[in-house]
Amino acid sequence: TPADIGVIGLAVMGRNLARNFARHGHRVALYNRTPARTDALVEQFGQEGEFVPSHTLAGLVAALAVPRRVVIMVKAGEPTDAVIDELAPLLEPGDIVVDGGNAHFADTRRREAALRARGLHFVGTGISGGEEGALNGPSIMPGGTAEAYRSLGPLLESIAAQVDGRPCCTHVGPDGAGHFVKMVHNGIEYADMQLIAEAYDLLRHAAGRQPGEIAGIFREWNRGRLESYLIEITAEVLGHTDADTGRPFVDVVQDRAEQKGTGRWTVQIALDLGVPVPGIAEAVFARSLSGGVPQREACRDLPGPTETWLDSAAADRFAEDVEHALYASKIVAYAQGFQQIQAGSAEYDWQVDPGAMAAIWRGGCIIRARFLGRIEAAYQADPQLPTLLADEYFRKALGEAQSAWRRVVSTAAQLGVPVPGFAGALAYYDALRAERLPAALIQGQRDFFGAHTYHRTDREGSFHTLWAGDRSEERR
Ligand code: NBP
């Protein structure tokens, strides 16, 4: 019998995806550049399902049912192109090539166009959930033609995480849409992690709580509206004790956050699209700042506030305030990410349904959370929603949180605890609700030094004031 699907690249991710397909009753053809990996998979996990190993790409192609469905799961970048170049000539029109790696959506657009010209379908697919998700049910974000999805979708949906009986996989849109949405998912993940880290920092350095106690607070929060994978693992990490030293694990880890680049991509693309995603940008910059060792060394003895702790009664109330501030800031960060998805969709004419993205992120992926059901509902109620902040539920949550949120941000400033995420989110909230922004003044400055012109509130057209002359106004 021919195989239902092929997997190329059998490192951790590919191996686990292949096993996931097999465990769901699909016959899986296998190929890896280094044959030992292929053999090891069959040897160790062969009993989990039906595998058809091959030591050549041609062998893998020959093993597949037509139209062929092949998932490439190799290192993103040049290796992906190398595999496509070798694979494409072996395929026939109508065959479907899936790239499940962390590709940049612009690369996916390029590859899709090249394969489309050869009559092949190219499905750039975001896959989130890491190693564990790949094996037990990831969140899957496939981009490509509707025709390809008709053939491929049922296989992907069968191996995806399931929430309330619905698979965490849906057709995102054409060409680069899937990888774009995966990129924004990662950007949101950065922002969410930064906000959680700030909440910890406040509980530790303003409220004076110890890591073990803070783990308890996060566990408590995880029973409420903040329930999410990231909050859950935060409690685990904070509750962990280093075996060597007996100290809290979080105190023996170097405080320099690293990154692989998908958060940075999100911000770079947001800049290109002109979408404000300060929450994601702050999170990326906060990681870079933490790694700025010479700058941090040089600034260690700069003066700070004289007051450094809350008294114990205030500290108890403060923990509740931090929960509000975290929830509100999280709404803002997700609102920014979803606006970026809408902007990308409009720019590339992808017709992405933002509510459906929230739905497929409810399980399998790193940002999975109860909260995403609210986002899905918001877009169901109004598919044209300009921002999540305007949704009835979120508007109410922000309204209820705002006094606590302001107390947290001002306390942080007074006690010298850096909260770029919380403070930036509050500024974003206040900017969007402002009746008038000082952007009017900036327009005046631009017109003054560069004759860039401005629009008036009371008349149509572009205007310029003769700043160096008699300051009369001309229409431009
Ligand atoms: P790696 O990213 O470590 O890549 C290793 C695989 O790429 C091996 O199978 C290797 O073959 C193959 N490969 C390379 Br490198 N160069 C090749 C070439 N020129 N031709 C053919 N094969 C080549 O594997 P991974 O960690 O399993 O990740 C796979 C993809 O999934 C990546 O794009 C990664 O970014 C993404 N990923 C996603 C998540 C997530 O949570 N979504 C997590 C981790 C990774 P060899 O065995 O012969 O060296």
Side-chain angles (χ1 to χ4, degrees):
T1 6
D4 303 309
I5 190 137
V7 179
I8 298 174
L10 302 172
V12 279
M13 289 296 290
R15 180 183 64 200
N16 282 357
L17 271 186
R19 292 173 60 198
N20 191 348
F21 278 121
R23 288 173 174 192
H24 283 88
H26 307 296
R27 201 170 152 84
V28 189
L30 304 172
Y31 170 78
N32 189 75
R33 179 181 61 178
T34 306
R37 279 203 211 268
T38 314
D39 298 342
L41 196 168
V42 177
E43 200 174 304
Q44 286 177 55
F45 306 108
Q47 78 292 350
E48 289 183 358
E50 292 183 78
F51 295 107
V52 190
S54 175
H55 286 177
T56 64
L57 260 186
L60 171 119
V61 169
L64 289 165
V66 178
R68 299 173 187 84
R69 296 172 289 205
V70 188
V71 180
I72 302 174
M73 213 57 208
V74 301
K75 200 174 162 73
E78 277 171 30
T80 306
D81 283 316
V83 171
I84 292 172
D85 289 347
E86 212 187 322
L87 176 67
L90 304 173
L91 298 176
E92 290 174 318
D95 288 350
I96 300 164
V97 178
V98 182
D99 174 18
N102 268 335
H104 191 291
F105 79 98
D107 286 335
T108 300
R109 284 169 60 78
R110 167 177 61 78
R111 290 168 183 146
E112 197 275 338
L115 291 197
R116 183 158 23 94
R118 309 174 74 135
L120 300 171
H121 295 285
F122 185 73
V123 181
T125 302
I127 300 182
S128 178
E131 246 181 272
E132 210 271 334
L135 183 61
N136 296 315
S139 173
I140 309 182
M141 296 152 254
T145 60
E147 189 187 341
Y149 194 79
R150 272 194 291 280
S151 165
L152 185 70
L155 271 96
L156 296 181
E157 289 178 14
S158 74
I159 66 157
Q162 313 282 322
V163 176
D164 301 335
R166 287 157 63 199
C168 294
C169 172
T170 193
H171 182 214
V172 175
D175 59 82
H179 275 135
F180 185 94
V181 161
K182 171 64 179 7
M183 173 188 79
V184 176
H185 163 284
N186 286 29
I188 292 173
E189 175 186 313
Y190 273 57
D192 206 339
M193 291 169 71
Q194 173 65 23
L195 293 171
I196 292 171
E198 290 178 16
Y200 152 74
D201 206 25
L202 287 163
L203 293 171
R204 183 102 193 245
H205 295 115
R209 298 286 183 260
Q210 291 308 302
E213 296 173 86
I214 303 173
I217 294 174
F218 276 98
R219 240 176 259 121
E220 184 64 37
W221 289 354
N222 201 39
R223 284 193 278 273
R225 59 189 181 166
L226 279 167
E227 180 191 322
S228 62
Y229 173 70
L230 283 172
I231 295 281
E232 178 192 328
I233 65 164
T234 300
E236 293 292 323
V237 174
L238 288 173
H240 183 58
T241 303
D242 175 55
D244 266 11
T245 58
R247 292 169 57 201
F249 168 80
V250 72
D251 287 350
V252 299
V253 177
Q254 286 190 357
D255 59 347
R256 301 204 286 266
E258 295 172 11
Q259 49 187 317
K260 278 192 170 169
T262 42
R264 182 166 56 229
W265 285 353
T266 313
V267 178
Q268 284 168 338
I269 300 305
L271 291 172
D272 292 342
L273 291 169
V275 202
V277 293
I280 300 171
E282 284 294 1
V284 174
F285 285 138
R287 290 197 192 187
S288 308
L289 185 148
S290 74
V293 177
Q295 292 75 22
R296 291 180 62 189
E297 292 285 340
C299 294
R300 193 137 295 151
D301 59 359
L302 285 181
T306 44
E307 223 185 315
T308 50
W309 300 101
L310 295 169
D311 65 44
S312 81
D316 286 338
R317 284 196 305 275
F318 189 67
E320 273 176 47
D321 281 355
V322 173
E323 195 269 349
H324 277 292
L326 178 55
Y327 194 63
S329 302
K330 182 170 160 135
I331 293 170
V332 165
Y334 281 66
Q336 293 169 4
F338 275 82
Q339 193 187 336
Q340 182 165 357
I341 290 177
Q342 289 178 297
S345 178
E347 173 74 16
Y348 298 104
D349 197 18
W350 283 329
Q351 314 284 326
V352 176
D353 171 359
M357 300 306 105
I360 64 171
W361 290 346
R362 290 182 311 149
C365 65
I366 306 299
I367 64 170
R368 60 185 184 259
R370 179 198 278 206
F371 167 78
L372 287 158
R374 297 286 185 183
I375 298 183
E376 184 190 16
Y379 285 110
Q380 273 169 351
D382 181 4
Q384 305 307 322
L385 196 65
T387 168
L388 283 174
L389 270 54
D391 168 72
E392 212 41 58
Y393 169 83
F394 290 119
R395 174 196 290 273
K396 188 158 169 279
L398 290 163
E400 284 166 7
Q402 63 134 354
S403 334
W405 196 6
R406 293 182 196 287
R407 281 195 296 273
V408 167
V409 170
S410 59
T411 303
Q414 269 162 2
L415 301 187
V417 180
V419 288
F422 281 14
L426 182 57
Y428 178 92
Y429 172 79
D430 282 332
L432 282 188
R433 43 167 225 97
E435 176 79 28
R436 291 276 297 162
L437 286 170
L441 175 59
I442 290 172
Q443 284 297 81
Q445 294 164 333
R446 295 178 68 246
D447 189 59
F448 191 106
F449 66 66
H452 292 303
T453 75
Y454 49 87
H455 297 283
R456 296 182 55 98
T457 55
D458 54 355
R459 265 177 280 149
E460 290 290 306
S462 300
F463 296 89
H464 168 58
T465 291
L466 300 170
W467 296 102
D470 64 359
R471 306 215 161 171
S472 60
E473 186 176 71
E474 32 180 62
R475 196 178 270 275
R476 282 287 174 97

